mmCIF file of all heavy atoms in Angstrom:
data_model
loop_
_atom_site.group_PDB
_atom_site.id
_atom_site.type_symbol
_atom_site.label_atom_id
_atom_site.label_comp_id
_atom_site.label_asym_id
_atom_site.label_seq_id
_atom_site.Cartn_x
_atom_site.Cartn_y
_atom_site.Cartn_z
ATOM 1 N N ALA A 92 -86.225 55.839 237.904
ATOM 2 C CA ALA A 92 -86.079 55.177 236.607
ATOM 3 C C ALA A 92 -87.344 54.450 236.175
ATOM 4 O O ALA A 92 -87.541 54.203 234.986
ATOM 5 C CB ALA A 92 -84.914 54.193 236.649
ATOM 6 N N TRP A 93 -88.203 54.077 237.119
ATOM 7 C CA TRP A 93 -89.455 53.408 236.742
ATOM 8 C C TRP A 93 -90.695 54.220 237.125
ATOM 9 O O TRP A 93 -91.796 53.706 237.246
ATOM 10 C CB TRP A 93 -89.525 51.993 237.305
ATOM 11 C CG TRP A 93 -89.322 51.854 238.782
ATOM 12 C CD1 TRP A 93 -90.262 51.939 239.762
ATOM 13 C CD2 TRP A 93 -88.089 51.546 239.449
ATOM 14 N NE1 TRP A 93 -89.698 51.727 240.996
ATOM 15 C CE2 TRP A 93 -88.366 51.477 240.836
ATOM 16 C CE3 TRP A 93 -86.773 51.322 239.012
ATOM 17 C CZ2 TRP A 93 -87.383 51.200 241.775
ATOM 18 C CZ3 TRP A 93 -85.792 51.042 239.956
ATOM 19 C CH2 TRP A 93 -86.100 50.996 241.314
ATOM 20 N N ASN A 94 -90.507 55.516 237.278
ATOM 21 C CA ASN A 94 -91.626 56.418 237.509
ATOM 22 C C ASN A 94 -92.479 56.486 236.234
ATOM 23 O O ASN A 94 -91.991 56.869 235.170
ATOM 24 C CB ASN A 94 -91.086 57.810 237.862
ATOM 25 C CG ASN A 94 -92.186 58.836 238.073
ATOM 26 O OD1 ASN A 94 -93.379 58.554 237.949
ATOM 27 N ND2 ASN A 94 -91.781 60.057 238.391
ATOM 28 N N LYS A 95 -93.739 56.109 236.329
ATOM 29 C CA LYS A 95 -94.609 56.085 235.147
ATOM 30 C C LYS A 95 -94.749 57.447 234.490
ATOM 31 O O LYS A 95 -95.062 57.542 233.301
ATOM 32 C CB LYS A 95 -95.997 55.537 235.529
ATOM 33 C CG LYS A 95 -96.012 54.067 235.918
ATOM 34 C CD LYS A 95 -97.416 53.603 236.253
ATOM 35 C CE LYS A 95 -97.436 52.146 236.691
ATOM 36 N NZ LYS A 95 -97.032 51.236 235.595
ATOM 37 N N ASP A 96 -94.530 58.504 235.270
ATOM 38 C CA ASP A 96 -94.614 59.868 234.734
ATOM 39 C C ASP A 96 -93.229 60.516 234.706
ATOM 40 O O ASP A 96 -93.092 61.734 234.776
ATOM 41 C CB ASP A 96 -95.581 60.708 235.582
ATOM 42 C CG ASP A 96 -95.986 62.000 234.867
ATOM 43 O OD1 ASP A 96 -96.119 61.984 233.628
ATOM 44 O OD2 ASP A 96 -96.154 63.020 235.559
ATOM 45 N N GLY A 97 -92.198 59.677 234.596
ATOM 46 C CA GLY A 97 -90.836 60.181 234.580
ATOM 47 C C GLY A 97 -90.451 60.744 233.222
ATOM 48 O O GLY A 97 -91.181 60.608 232.228
ATOM 49 N N LEU A 98 -89.302 61.380 233.170
ATOM 50 C CA LEU A 98 -88.832 62.016 231.940
ATOM 51 C C LEU A 98 -88.670 60.987 230.820
ATOM 52 O O LEU A 98 -89.065 61.240 229.677
ATOM 53 C CB LEU A 98 -87.509 62.738 232.207
ATOM 54 C CG LEU A 98 -86.893 63.518 231.041
ATOM 55 C CD1 LEU A 98 -87.840 64.602 230.543
ATOM 56 C CD2 LEU A 98 -85.549 64.120 231.461
ATOM 57 N N MET A 99 -88.087 59.835 231.120
ATOM 58 C CA MET A 99 -87.909 58.805 230.096
ATOM 59 C C MET A 99 -89.248 58.308 229.577
ATOM 60 O O MET A 99 -89.472 58.221 228.356
ATOM 61 C CB MET A 99 -87.095 57.628 230.654
ATOM 62 C CG MET A 99 -86.962 56.455 229.697
ATOM 63 S SD MET A 99 -85.908 56.797 228.258
ATOM 64 C CE MET A 99 -84.296 56.363 228.925
ATOM 65 N N GLN A 100 -90.145 57.984 230.484
ATOM 66 C CA GLN A 100 -91.437 57.429 230.087
ATOM 67 C C GLN A 100 -92.238 58.432 229.241
ATOM 68 O O GLN A 100 -92.833 58.058 228.222
ATOM 69 C CB GLN A 100 -92.224 57.010 231.329
ATOM 70 C CG GLN A 100 -91.674 55.788 232.057
ATOM 71 C CD GLN A 100 -90.389 56.064 232.850
ATOM 72 O OE1 GLN A 100 -89.970 57.212 233.016
ATOM 73 N NE2 GLN A 100 -89.770 55.014 233.346
ATOM 74 N N ASN A 101 -92.235 59.689 229.638
ATOM 75 C CA ASN A 101 -92.951 60.710 228.865
ATOM 76 C C ASN A 101 -92.301 60.957 227.508
ATOM 77 O O ASN A 101 -92.995 61.252 226.519
ATOM 78 C CB ASN A 101 -93.032 62.012 229.663
ATOM 79 C CG ASN A 101 -94.014 61.921 230.826
ATOM 80 O OD1 ASN A 101 -94.961 61.130 230.782
ATOM 81 N ND2 ASN A 101 -93.794 62.702 231.864
ATOM 82 N N THR A 102 -90.988 60.822 227.452
ATOM 83 C CA THR A 102 -90.287 60.990 226.173
ATOM 84 C C THR A 102 -90.651 59.862 225.209
ATOM 85 O O THR A 102 -90.922 60.099 224.021
ATOM 86 C CB THR A 102 -88.762 61.019 226.390
ATOM 87 O OG1 THR A 102 -88.428 62.090 227.277
ATOM 88 C CG2 THR A 102 -88.034 61.220 225.071
ATOM 89 N N ILE A 103 -90.654 58.643 225.711
ATOM 90 C CA ILE A 103 -91.016 57.495 224.867
ATOM 91 C C ILE A 103 -92.423 57.682 224.298
ATOM 92 O O ILE A 103 -92.654 57.531 223.085
ATOM 93 C CB ILE A 103 -90.945 56.178 225.665
ATOM 94 C CG1 ILE A 103 -89.509 55.884 226.108
ATOM 95 C CG2 ILE A 103 -91.486 55.010 224.827
ATOM 96 C CD1 ILE A 103 -89.383 54.747 227.102
#
Side-chain angles (χ1 to χ4, degrees):
W93 54 87
N94 178 359
K95 292 181 182 295
D96 195 35
L98 183 59
M99 175 70 87
Q100 290 74 9
N101 287 334
T102 301
I103 295 170

